[in-house]
């Protein structure tokens, strides 16, 4: 996205060009020699890119050269995609049973013509790279092959003016209670304070550190600002200096260790390790061993932005520092922006200041940044400019909020940088969930793994957890099958600052360079769409008022964006998807969800061999799926709403690559395809609001890869059919199961576990009005962690043996009056079965 990606982008392209798969492709298409030239030129340029990135601030011509190289890398990615697409098309054509019909379907697949065309394209790519390489000599660049994060030394100190700290009394008391806790442990107790950069972790630690009573309680108080590389020798030097005032820079580690032991020996100390980034557990263990000479009652407080650091270091649950309240933020802002009492003379500025404070969303450093910025001006226009401008466009000093947040960004591995930056295309306060975001990352090629055969969905989940751990995302709500999370507004500003013109969600166009675009027809007329969108990879069209109802407007979007990977038309209301969609050969993600007008898809959509995600959920007027859907040989996720009563046998169940399959609001659907067992890679199956569905196919019980299964609100569905009650081995892999809104069900059949009694972790049972008891096999669910039982009015007791489910950590019961009575704490008849569960919610 920004120039800092150029080195890694080039590495990604080089890796693909050097892979065994591309070795085979280059031989098959007769372009091996041109491929080799491309790899060599790319390697030569990449060798000097790191030096160019470091020098560009002093040379604008170099910035332009880097941009050209980055654009060339994007073009090579497109070229590589084309080779992959041709390989996929050949794969379909070589399926002998398909024959002439498929060759007609893929008209224009003449091998000689394709070889000539692809040969020309790779030749032009070589010419483009040669032109870029020819200009490297004039810049006198040095070869560098390793990215070094430039560490910005942030030296903090222990002093804080107590009167300048606002709104942290409760947090301070929590830390004080930890320090005074009389419990003695063998290990020194460590409390991590965790939060986003600038929220006030250091200030809170300073406030507690300077508490007057500690002078008599602790013999030593030690403040250490930890360097980013967590160098043990440097930390010993800092600790000794904090205790004695001595400089020991010339000592070796052994000498430093002896001095440190003498300093701490038998003394009760209180140490603050401020701004810790280290995620290497061995380094932390080494430091902690050096500190073990202190007396019982010693305590350590650590401030960090990373939950992973907190997990490694903490001996007690981390303290998540909350945002300041709006009232406290306003008080702090007025104190910084005005001299005492002066605000009373400037009511107009105070009103503007209230809007500025709302932008800060409780982050103290942002309040300080704006207050300090405006303290020297009383010109109303200056204040309005700050209120109305994006934070990333305002001038920032080194210790202001954006540089503070940028430090966290600089520590991200590059693959997380592009995933994080991409999220800026969405508006502030947008609620993400993994099921929505991961496919978008996947379609843009952001997901990469060091492990062979790791599923993209698993990689994406790992990325989300890392970004949550580092405070780039904040979890909003934990749901049964997923969870939601947001970006803090200031973090969103950070994302905008690093992507600049490549992501656009504001409808202020920088034509020709935008790669990810959110186009809102409420704010911008469709006729004003820029002509040059040749670089566009993701297009999100918002159309709340149904303006995109003509096929020509949609066709215009498609015709100007030949390299689209993502096309998101959710909520639009056009009747036809234009035929020119077949030209989007790189399209991997197509979302048409909740379009109430579209009746059918053009069969030409099945020409998109790269398509991985197709979302038709909520398209209630779709009469049938395309007849050649089986040719979508890369499809991983399919969300279906259809008027069909049955699904054609040679359709969905021929898609052996499917990982996620969902049927939503298929009102007429009576039966799923019988050969569902052919979906041998299926991991998630959702069947919801299919009120005419009467039975499930036999093949369902053979889906041993299935991890999530949800069957919800299917009024006529019978789950008690004897033919499904067949014995099977314990070979299932189900993790989450949701059964609800199936009124015919009187007892949960064991087959529904798909042989997963040992693997099931989360179970939701709801809206089952005729279920009166839980089956005896409940006691076999040894991995069960959470159980939700909602709106089962006849259910009168829990299953026997539930007290043996030691993995069960969360139980929620609601809308079950008989059962709730039996589960009353201490006195209920079923309480002994669940007394061991940590988190219990029973609604009366």
């Amino acid at each position: 996205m920004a120039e800092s990606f150029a080195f890694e982008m080039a590495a990604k392209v080089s890796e693909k060009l050097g892979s065994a798969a591309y070795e085979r492709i280059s031989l098959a298409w007769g372009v091996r020699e041109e491929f080799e030239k491309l790899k060599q030129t790319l390697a030569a340029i990449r060798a000097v890119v790191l030096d160019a990135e470091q020098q560009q601030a002093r040379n604008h011509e170099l910035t332009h050269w880097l941009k050209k190289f980055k654009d060339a890398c994007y073009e090579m990615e497109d070229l590589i995609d084309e080779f992959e697409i041709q390989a996929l098309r050949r794969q379909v054509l070589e399926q002998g049973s398909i024959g002439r019909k498929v060759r007609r379907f893929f008209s224009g697949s003449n091998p000689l013509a394709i070889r000539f065309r692809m040969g020309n394209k790779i030749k032009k790519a070589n010419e483009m790279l040669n032109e870029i390489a020819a200009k490297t000599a004039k810049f006198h660049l040095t070869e560098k092959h390793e990215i070094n994060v430039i560490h910005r030394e942030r030296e903090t100190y222990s002093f804080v003016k107590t009167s300048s700290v606002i709104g942290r009394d409760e947090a301070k008391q929590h830390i004080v209670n930890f320090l005074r806790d009389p419990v003695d442990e063998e290990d020194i107790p460590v409390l991590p304070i965790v939060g986003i950069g600038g929220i006030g972790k250091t200030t809170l630690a300073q406030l507690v550190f300077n508490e007057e009573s500690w002078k008599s309680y602790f013999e030593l108080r030690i403040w250490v600002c930890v360097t980013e590389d967590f160098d043990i020798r440097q930390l010993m030097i800092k600790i000794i200096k904090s205790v004695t005032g001595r400089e020991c820079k010339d000592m070796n580690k052994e000498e430093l260790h002896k001095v440190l032991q003498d300093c701490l020996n038998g003394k009760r100390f209180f140490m603050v390790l401020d701004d810790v980034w280290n995620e290497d557990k061995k380094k932390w263990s080494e430091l902690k061993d050096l500190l073990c000479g202190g007396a019982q009652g010693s305590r350590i407080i650590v401030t960090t932005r990373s939950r992973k650091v907190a997990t490694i270091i903490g001996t007690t649950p981390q303290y998540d520092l909350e945002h300041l309240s709006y009232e406290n933020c306003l008080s702090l802002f007025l104190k910084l922006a005005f001299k005492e009492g002066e605000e009373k003379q400037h009511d107009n500025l105070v009103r503007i200041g209230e809007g500025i404070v709302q932008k800060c969303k409780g982050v103290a450093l942002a309040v300080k940044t704006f207050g300090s910025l405006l303290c020297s001006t009383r010109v109303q226009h200056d204040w309005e400019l700050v209120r109305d401008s994006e934070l990333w466009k305002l001038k920032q000093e080194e210790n202001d909020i954006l540089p503070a947040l940028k430090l966290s960004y600089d520590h991200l591995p590059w693959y997380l940088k592009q995933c994080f930056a991409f999220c800026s295309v969405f508006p502030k306060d947008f609620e993400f969930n993994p099921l929505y975001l991961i496919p978008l990352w996947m379609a843009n090629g952001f997901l990469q793994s060091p492990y062979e055969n790791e599923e993209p969905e698993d990689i994406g989940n790992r990325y989300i957890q890392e970004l949550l751990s580092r405070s780039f995302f904040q979890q909003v709500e934990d749901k049964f099958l997923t969870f939601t999370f947001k970006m803090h507004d200031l973090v969103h500003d950070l994302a905008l600052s690093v992507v600049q013109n490549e992501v656009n969600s504001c409808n202020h166009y920088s034509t020709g360079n935008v790669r990810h675009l959110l186009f809102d027809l409420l704010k911008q007329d469709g006729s004003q769409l820029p002509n040059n969108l040749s670089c566009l990879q993701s297009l999100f069209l918002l159309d709340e008022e149904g303006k995109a109802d003509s096929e020509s407007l949609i066709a215009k979007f498609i015709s100007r964006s030949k390299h689209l990977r993502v096309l998101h038309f959710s909520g639009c209301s056009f009747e036809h998807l234009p035929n020119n969609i077949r030209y989007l050969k790189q399209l991997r993600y197509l979302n048409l969800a909740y379009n109430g007008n579209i009746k059918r898809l053009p069969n030409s959509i099945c020409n998109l061999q790269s398509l991985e995600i197709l979302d038709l959920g909520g398209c209630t007027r779709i009469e049938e799926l395309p007849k050649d859907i089986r040719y979508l040989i890369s499809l991983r996720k399919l969300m279906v709403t259809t008027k069909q009563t049955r699904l054609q046998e040679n359709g969905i169940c021929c898609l052996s690559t499917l990982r996620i399959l969902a049927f939503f609001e298929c009102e007429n659907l009576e039966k799923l395809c019988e050969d569902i067992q052919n979906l041998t890679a299926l991991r998630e199956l959702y069947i919801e609001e299919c009120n005419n569905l009467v039975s499930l196919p036999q093949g369902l019980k053979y889906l041993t890869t299935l991890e999530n299964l949800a069957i919800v609100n299917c009024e006529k569905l019978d789950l008690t059919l004897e033919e499904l009650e067949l014995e099977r081995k314990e070979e299932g892999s189900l993790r989450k199961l949701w059964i609800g809104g199936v009124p015919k069900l009187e007892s949960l059949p064991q087959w529904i576990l798909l042989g997963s009694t040992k693997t099931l972790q989360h179970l939701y049972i709801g809206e089952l009005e005729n279920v009166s008891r839980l089956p005896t096999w409940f006691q076999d669910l040894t991995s069960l962690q959470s159980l939700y039982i909602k709106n089962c009015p006849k259910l009168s007791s829990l299953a026997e043996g539930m007290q043996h489910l030691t993995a069960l950590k969360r139980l929620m019961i609601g809308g079950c009056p008989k059962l709730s009575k039996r589960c009353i704490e201490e006195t209920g008849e079923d309480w002994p079965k669940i007394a061991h569960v940590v988190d219990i919610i029973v609604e009366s």
Side-chain angles (χ1 to χ4, degrees), residues 110-352:
N110 185 305
L112 289 175
I114 293 170
R115 180 176 295 191
F116 181 74
R117 186 172 74 245
M118 299 305 288
N120 271 342
K121 287 190 176 186
I122 199 167
K123 188 176 180 181
K124 284 183 180 178
N126 266 316
E127 290 170 0
M128 175 180 62
L129 272 190
N130 286 333
E131 185 183 332
I132 294 169
K135 294 181 179 178
T136 57
K138 67 185 285 190
F139 298 121
H140 306 292
L141 299 171
T142 306
E143 287 193 13
K144 293 182 179 179
H145 299 276
E146 228 177 279
I147 296 176
N148 295 313
V149 175
I150 299 173
H151 297 302
R152 180 170 69 87
E153 290 295 331
R154 176 181 177 259
E155 193 63 42
T156 63
Y157 47 85
S158 61
F159 174 74
V160 68
K161 188 178 179 182
T162 308
S163 61
S164 69
V165 182
I166 294 173
R168 290 304 187 197
D169 294 340
E170 185 180 331
K172 176 186 173 183
Q173 191 56 51
H174 182 93
I175 310 302
V176 168
N177 291 343
F178 162 74
L179 294 172
R180 290 193 182 278
D181 188 346
V183 177
D184 287 324
E185 300 178 12
E186 189 174 323
D187 273 347
I188 306 169
V190 181
L191 172 64
I193 303 174
V194 183
I196 187 177
I199 200 170
K201 302 180 296 294
T202 298
T203 302
L204 175 60
Q206 290 168 331
L207 190 64
V208 174
F209 191 87
N210 285 284
E211 179 73 22
E212 195 65 27
S213 61
W214 299 140
K215 291 181 180 178
S216 57
Y217 190 79
F218 291 108
E219 294 170 79
L220 297 174
R221 287 181 301 156
I222 304 165
W223 182 278
V224 180
C225 180
V226 180
T227 55
E228 292 173 31
D229 58 357
F230 207 81
D231 182 274
I232 298 296
R233 182 176 178 276
Q234 290 300 320
L235 287 174
M236 285 196 285
I237 290 170
K238 287 187 176 187
I239 293 169
I240 292 166
K241 185 178 180 182
S242 180
V243 174
T244 67
R246 288 175 57 190
E247 290 280 4
C248 303
K249 292 183 178 179
D250 296 330
M251 292 185 181
N252 60 37
K253 284 180 80 171
E254 183 61 32
E255 292 168 331
L256 287 168
H257 181 214
K258 288 178 180 176
V259 175
L260 181 60
Q261 289 300 98
D262 289 341
C263 290
L264 301 180
N265 190 26
K267 297 185 177 79
R268 185 194 300 176
F269 66 81
F270 166 25
M271 180 182 294
V272 173
L273 297 174
D274 187 39
D275 204 18
V276 177
W277 297 82
N278 169 60
E279 295 182 349
D280 185 340
K281 190 169 185 177
K282 287 184 286 187
K283 283 188 175 183
W284 168 246
S285 297
E286 185 181 350
L287 176 64
K288 200 167 183 184
D289 288 344
L290 295 172
L291 302 177
C292 64
Q296 289 282 356
S298 295
R299 298 287 187 271
I300 299 174
I301 288 175
V302 171
T303 70
T304 181
R305 306 180 187 197
S306 167
R307 283 173 170 75
K308 186 174 180 181
V309 170
T311 302
I312 291 168
I313 286 178
T315 62
T316 191
Q318 67 190 43
Y319 183 75
D320 291 305
L321 188 57
E322 297 289 334
H323 300 101
L324 281 176
S325 69
Y326 170 77
E327 293 74 20
N328 284 324
C329 284
L330 185 58
S331 297
L332 179 59
F333 175 80
L334 296 177
K335 184 178 281 193
L336 291 165
F338 297 102
K339 294 176 183 175
E340 190 172 350
E342 186 190 5
E343 69 272 13
K344 295 172 184 175
Q345 303 166 29
H346 299 282
D347 289 346
N348 60 327
L349 299 184
V350 170
R351 283 194 295 274
I352 298 168

Side-chain angles (χ1 to χ4, degrees), residues 1 117 174 228 312 341 347 433 442 519 548 630 634 818:
M1 293 193 169
R117 186 172 74 245
H174 182 93
E228 292 173 31
I312 291 168
D347 289 346
N433 70 67
M442 181 166 64
F519 192 93
R630 64 189 181 279
S634 298
K818 295 178 182 178

Side-chain angles (χ1 to χ4, degrees), residues 195-199 201 305 307 323 358-366 370 390-393 396 401-410 412 416-430 432 437 441 464 466-475 485-500 503 505:
I196 187 177
I199 200 170
K201 302 180 296 294
R305 306 180 187 197
R307 283 173 170 75
H323 300 101
Q358 285 179 338
K359 291 174 63 167
C360 299
K361 291 292 181 78
V363 175
L365 185 56
F370 289 131
E390 293 285 357
L391 174 64
W392 62 275
K393 292 180 179 177
Q396 303 266 311
I401 182 62
L402 212 53
L405 293 173
K406 181 68 162 52
L407 191 59
S408 293
Y409 173 81
D410 290 340
L412 288 177
L416 285 183
K417 285 180 178 177
Q418 58 183 351
C419 289
F420 163 69
F422 169 79
C423 294
S424 65
V425 74
F426 299 96
K428 288 181 177 178
D429 272 336
F430 186 85
F432 299 96
L437 184 57
W441 283 349
I464 287 171
E466 284 191 58
L467 289 166
L468 279 165
S469 171
R470 296 167 186 255
S471 301
F472 286 94
F473 291 151
Q474 297 173 321
Q475 189 160 331
F485 52 94
K486 285 183 179 181
M487 295 170 74
H488 189 283
D489 282 6
L490 298 178
V491 175
H492 190 277
D493 285 324
L494 170 67
L496 285 173
S497 76
V498 298
V499 296
Q500 308 242 345
V503 171
S505 59

